[in-house]
């Protein structure tokens, strides 16, 4: 799907996050320029940050672990906030795993400071003058988590090739945040962490 020439592009540097304001009807494309980079995606309804994209409500809404193209992500009030309109990746995304945070890295044996998606979220929102008290569970685009027959989760490297992208249509005015996941202790991001790209436009 082509976007119009009036596209806003925001680079999300490796291990960092960025927030963008979008209006209902805008298209939001998230791509992995190098491939195999997971992105934690959040969306907060403009004017009421207590209403936000909810992975758990979306699972119930679409009766799937991740919606197919044409299906919707809903908020904590069960209103559609984003619709998945195109996916050029292998379609492996995740709505089970919470955002990584400092405690997660401590439990994995890391000592000292380590970037995390939870902190990237709050930092990115703070740059827009927005504060939150709770980190929602994100939609983890390009993240390949599978359930084994015994119920255990398998953490696989992202299969997204260089340039793979997912495109969403905003159904509500909202603030979208994308974190280029800094996880380097579990092999979800290929051989190294990398950047992501956010593009905002409209359909021609």
């Amino acid at each position: 799907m082509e976007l119009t020439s009036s596209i806003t592009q925001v680079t999300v540097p490796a291990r960092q996050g960025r927030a963008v304001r979008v209006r209902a009807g805008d298209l939001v494309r998230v791509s992995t320029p190098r491939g195999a980079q997971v992105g934690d995606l959040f969306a907060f309804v403009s004017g009421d940050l207590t209403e936000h994209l909810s992975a758990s409500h979306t699972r119930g809404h679409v009766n799937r672990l991740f919606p197919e193209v044409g299906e919707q992500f809903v908020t904590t009030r069960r209103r559609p906030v984003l619709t998945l309109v195109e996916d050029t990746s292998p379609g492996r995304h995740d709505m089970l795993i919470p955002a990584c945070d400092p405690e997660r890295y401590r439990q994995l044996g890391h000592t000292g400071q380590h970037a995390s998606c939870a902190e990237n979220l709050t930092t990115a929102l703070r740059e827009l003058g927005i504060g939150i008290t709770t980190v929602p569970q994100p939609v983890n685009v390009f993240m390949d988590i599978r359930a084994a027959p015994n119920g255990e989760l398998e953490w696989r490297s992202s299969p997204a090739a260089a340039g793979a992208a997912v495109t969403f249509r905003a159904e509500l005015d909202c603030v979208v945040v994308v974190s280029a996941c800094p996880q380097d202790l579990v092999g979800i991001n290929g051989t190294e962490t990398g950047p992501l790209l956010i593009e905002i436009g409209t359909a021609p």
Side-chain angles (χ1 to χ4, degrees):
M1 175 181 293
E2 295 294 329
L3 304 185
T4 62
S5 57
S6 57
I7 297 174
T8 298
Q9 294 187 344
V10 177
T11 297
V12 184
R15 308 169 74 85
Q16 297 184 31
R18 293 292 185 270
V20 293
R21 297 184 186 274
V22 300
R23 299 187 63 83
D26 285 348
L27 296 179
V28 182
R29 176 173 294 160
V30 181
S31 59
T32 170
R34 297 184 194 171
Q37 175 59 49
V38 169
D40 284 34
L41 182 143
F42 308 83
F44 297 83
V45 176
S46 297
D48 184 1
L49 298 179
T50 64
E51 183 179 7
H52 53 76
L53 187 159
S54 169
S56 58
H57 287 76
T58 298
R59 291 196 303 268
H61 179 71
V62 299
N63 199 34
R64 294 173 51 86
L65 291 182
F66 193 80
E68 294 181 327
V69 170
E71 294 181 334
Q72 297 173 324
F73 297 86
V74 299
T75 70
T76 45
R77 297 180 186 170
R78 302 185 188 275
R79 294 199 297 165
V81 61
L82 298 175
T83 298
L84 180 63
V85 295
E86 185 177 55
D87 185 356
T88 66
S89 79
R92 299 303 309 180
H93 310 281
D94 167 71
M95 292 199 299
L96 294 175
I97 304 301
C100 59
D101 52 34
E103 185 57 33
R104 169 65 167 159
Y105 291 105
R106 282 193 288 269
Q107 292 178 357
L108 290 172
H110 181 81
T111 58
Q113 194 276 338
H114 194 293
S116 71
C117 288
E119 292 177 317
N120 287 347
L121 169 65
T122 57
T123 298
L125 288 176
R126 191 179 305 121
E127 292 176 355
L128 295 183
I130 298 171
I132 57 172
T133 58
T134 301
V135 175
Q137 181 184 332
V139 172
N140 299 305
V141 296
F142 311 128
M143 186 173 180
D144 192 0
I145 301 293
R146 306 196 188 199
N150 64 359
E152 292 184 359
L153 296 180
E154 298 177 354
W155 298 64
R156 300 188 180 187
S157 178
S158 171
V166 284
T167 304
F168 306 93
R169 182 179 63 244
E171 305 299 343
L172 300 169
D173 293 354
C174 57
V175 177
V176 173
V177 183
V178 177
S179 171
C181 184
Q183 177 60 264
D184 53 6
L185 303 180
V186 177
I188 61 170
N189 287 312
T191 58
E192 61 179 340
T193 56
L196 294 169
L197 178 65
I198 307 171
E199 298 171 276
I200 304 169
T202 56

